[in-house]
């Protein structure tokens, strides 16, 4: 039995026949499963000979009719789709960038039976409490933004990496244990910022250029692994 057949069988056992009836003339769950597999396959990036990095957050865009029909079964369907993706990743030697998440949204430009899948690699980010307690982001003259969350930059700075010794841990397989250090010094006109690569395996990019050390400014984008870190400076009201 193939993976998609196993997916359908588990789903049939998990929900009543009302699910199949609701989707008889609309988008089918197995179509969503196949589309997620294709999205993962098409987005895979080589990490090493036997490991490829794939997205871990997925948005399935549905028509208003399909979205409404799906809602009573959304959690069950999500659980089965996540399990299917994990099985597929194991078979293909894929590595997810972080915890797998699937969200369903309603899009007015889609007709019944049509859908879209969007994905991105979103690493889990955690501040290392054992490395001290930095000032709250709102009181800092500069912050770094990772996956929508801002973290304060205060002198002398912080180390970003995947290991327990990093001040800010990013669970991205492409990030080294101690990947890069963001350095902060106090200048006459405000904080002076820079980033230093700490001998990482995959290197550090600033605004698309590979660097070993570089000055930073507001809006600078530092890429480590597959994760973008954006530098933010305080505005006129002192909010970073």
């Amino acid at each position: 039995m193939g993976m998609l057949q196993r997916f359908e069988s588990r789903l049939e056992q998990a929900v009543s026949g009302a699910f199949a009836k609701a989707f008889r003339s609309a988008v089918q769950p197995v179509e969503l499963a196949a589309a997620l597999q294709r999205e993962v396959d098409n987005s895979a990036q080589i990490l090493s000979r036997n490991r490829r990095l794939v997205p871990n957050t997925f948005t399935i865009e549905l028509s208003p009719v399909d979205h409404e029909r799906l809602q009573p079964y959304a959690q069950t369907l999500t659980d089965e789709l996540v399990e299917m993706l994990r099985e597929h990743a194991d078979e293909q030697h894929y590595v997810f960038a972080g915890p797998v998440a699937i969200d369903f949204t309603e899009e007015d430009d889609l007709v019944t039976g049509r859908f879209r899948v969007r994905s991105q690699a979103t690493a889990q980010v955690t501040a290392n409490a054992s490395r001290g307690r930095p000032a709250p982001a709102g009181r800092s003259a500069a912050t770094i933004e990772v996956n929508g969350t801002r973290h304060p930059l205060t002198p002398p700075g912080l180390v970003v990496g995947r290991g327990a010794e990093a001040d800010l841990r990013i669970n991205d397989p492409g990030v080294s244990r101690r990947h890069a250090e963001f350095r902060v010094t106090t200048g006459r006109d405000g904080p002076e910022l820079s980033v230093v690569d700490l001998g990482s395996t995959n290197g550090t990019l600033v605004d698309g250029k590979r660097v070993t050390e570089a000055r930073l400014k507001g809006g600078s984008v530092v890429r480590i692994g597959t994760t973008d870190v954006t530098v933010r400076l305080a505005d006129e009201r002192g909010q970073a």
Side-chain angles (χ1 to χ4, degrees):
M1 182 183 293
M3 185 175 300
L4 293 178
Q5 287 75 24
R6 294 198 301 272
F7 164 77
E8 282 193 300
S9 178
R10 288 199 306 264
L11 191 60
E12 289 174 358
Q13 295 174 13
V15 299
S16 67
F19 185 94
K21 183 178 180 180
F23 278 81
R24 183 172 297 162
S25 61
V27 63
Q28 300 297 313
V30 69
E31 293 178 308
L32 301 179
L36 286 170
Q37 279 192 13
R38 288 194 300 271
E39 182 71 15
V40 166
D41 292 339
N42 293 337
S43 303
Q45 301 179 41
I46 296 175
L47 285 178
S48 64
R49 183 177 178 181
N50 295 318
R51 297 169 71 237
R52 285 180 287 176
L53 181 70
V54 294
N56 61 304
T57 59
F58 303 87
T59 299
I60 298 177
E61 300 176 350
L62 299 163
S63 71
V65 171
D66 286 327
H67 189 267
E68 181 179 1
R69 289 175 176 174
L70 171 67
Q71 283 310 297
Y73 319 98
Q75 188 58 57
T76 298
L77 179 56
T78 297
D79 292 344
E80 293 301 331
L81 288 171
V82 168
E83 180 62 25
M84 181 276 300
L85 282 175
R86 287 173 176 157
E87 291 180 7
H88 184 59
D90 287 342
E91 288 187 2
Q92 301 299 322
H93 303 290
Y94 292 154
V95 178
F96 289 113
V100 180
I102 299 174
D103 186 36
F104 297 94
T105 64
E106 178 181 323
E107 300 296 334
D108 292 335
D109 67 319
L110 293 171
V111 298
T112 303
R114 296 284 186 177
F115 65 92
R116 287 189 295 260
V117 175
R118 303 187 189 276
S119 68
Q120 66 181 72
T122 307
Q124 185 177 20
V125 181
T126 55
N128 193 341
S130 66
R131 305 287 292 182
R133 295 179 178 274
R139 299 178 187 174
S140 176
T143 61
I144 52 175
E145 183 176 325
V146 190
N147 295 337
T149 301
R150 295 189 181 188
H151 305 269
L153 276 180
T154 56
L158 56 81
V159 172
V160 175
R162 187 165 46 86
E165 62 271 33
D167 301 304
L168 190 67
R169 299 182 65 184
I170 300 180
N171 185 27
D172 178 335
V175 173
S176 297
R177 296 183 63 82
R178 281 173 51 88
H179 195 108
E181 182 178 7
F182 287 81
R183 295 179 178 174
V184 185
T185 58
T186 302
R188 294 179 58 183
D189 300 320
E192 296 180 354
L193 311 174
S194 62
V195 64
V196 179
D197 184 85
L198 299 177
S200 66
T201 300
N202 295 314
T204 299
L205 281 71
V206 175
D207 296 329
K209 297 181 180 179
R210 191 181 183 99
V211 302
T212 54
E213 182 173 355
R215 293 287 298 273
L216 301 174
K217 60 185 179 183
S220 293
V221 178
V222 181
R223 167 156 284 217
I224 59 174
T226 61
T227 300
D228 286 338
V229 180
T230 304
V231 176
R232 305 292 187 191
L233 298 182
D235 62 20
E236 294 80 2
R237 295 167 299 183
Q239 297 297 317

